[in-house]
Amino acid sequence: MESAPTQRPPNRRRLPARLKAGLALSALLAIALLLINQLLHTPQAPQGIVNLQLAGNAAHTRDILQSWSPQQQAWARVSLLLDFLLVALYSATLFLLTRHLLKDRPGVRERTAGRWVIILFALAAFSDCVENLLLLNNLKEPDDLLSLIATFSALVKFTGLLLGSAGLVIIRAARRHPLTHA
């Protein structure tokens, strides 16, 4: 008995070229930022720029900055500036991915969830930009308020990305097979 060759269902969509490009460029830039971050590891900042993001007060920020050489501080500035480009790339890519996943989801609940996912991703991108601006200003002279707001912005960013990603999983799992016309 011969089995029929497996074929892709006719309604299964491929990823659009813009989405593929956004995923690839975001991944490349994220890898570059991870490599830069490796240069920023010190005993006071074992996780590099992440420790600066989550410092929370001027004293902790000052300790991190003093543990970095002038060259490391320059790399931190480069990292924060490149992160603006990453924000633009990852937010556009996540918006395209959300739109792609909603193409065969005509239900009201899926559309509502999609709107919330886009809002969460937009909030994450905005928080990431605010955080970067505050951290760039904090590189000059650390301030308690700037450090605290930067930490809060980082937490909002991480929460928005996590909840938005969970929303994408829910949207995708809402209906395993696209609706077909009979």
Side-chain angles (χ1 to χ4, degrees), residues 84 87-88 90-91 95 119-134 153-154 156-157:
F84 284 111
V87 170
Y90 82 68
S91 59
F95 295 154
I119 289 169
L120 287 167
F121 288 148
L123 178 64
F126 177 77
S127 295
D128 203 351
C129 288
V130 168
E131 170 200 338
N132 288 340
L133 287 171
L134 293 171
S153 295
V156 170
K157 169 187 68 176

Side-chain angles (χ1 to χ4, degrees), residues 1-167:
M1 195 185 224
E2 290 183 34
S3 62
T6 57
Q7 293 180 354
R8 181 185 298 204
N11 289 339
R12 189 165 177 178
R13 300 176 195 263
R14 293 179 185 231
L15 291 179
R18 289 187 317 190
L19 181 54
K20 285 181 186 178
L23 289 169
L25 290 173
S26 295
L28 285 174
L29 192 52
I31 290 169
L33 287 172
L34 286 172
L35 292 173
I36 291 171
N37 190 49
Q38 293 298 312
L39 302 172
L40 303 176
H41 289 214
T42 63
Q44 289 77 14
Q47 296 173 339
I49 202 83
V50 175
N51 290 106
L52 185 66
Q53 292 171 334
L54 301 175
N57 60 44
H60 193 200
T61 302
R62 200 171 289 110
D63 289 342
I64 292 169
L65 293 176
Q66 288 174 350
S67 75
W68 287 344
S69 67
Q71 185 181 12
Q72 286 173 307
Q73 289 183 19
W75 279 115
R77 182 170 278 105
V78 167
S79 175
L80 292 170
L81 291 171
L82 281 177
D83 196 35
F84 284 111
L85 180 57
L86 181 62
V87 170
L89 277 171
Y90 82 68
S91 59
T93 302
L94 290 172
F95 295 154
L96 287 171
L97 180 60
T98 304
R99 219 174 99 209
H100 176 73
L101 292 178
L102 285 171
K103 278 183 181 175
D104 62 351
R105 303 291 188 253
V108 173
R109 284 181 282 177
E110 290 94 348
R111 295 282 171 199
T112 302
R115 280 191 291 276
W116 278 105
V117 165
I118 288 174
I119 289 169
L120 287 167
F121 288 148
L123 178 64
F126 177 77
S127 295
D128 203 351
C129 288
V130 168
E131 170 200 338
N132 288 340
L133 287 171
L134 293 171
L135 290 174
L136 283 168
N137 284 326
N138 235 9
L139 289 177
K140 298 171 189 161
E141 181 57 41
D143 179 76
D144 278 332
L145 184 61
L146 292 181
S147 296
L148 184 62
I149 296 172
T151 299
F152 179 75
S153 295
L155 293 174
V156 170
K157 169 187 68 176
F158 294 134
T159 302
L161 289 172
L162 183 66
L163 292 176
S165 298

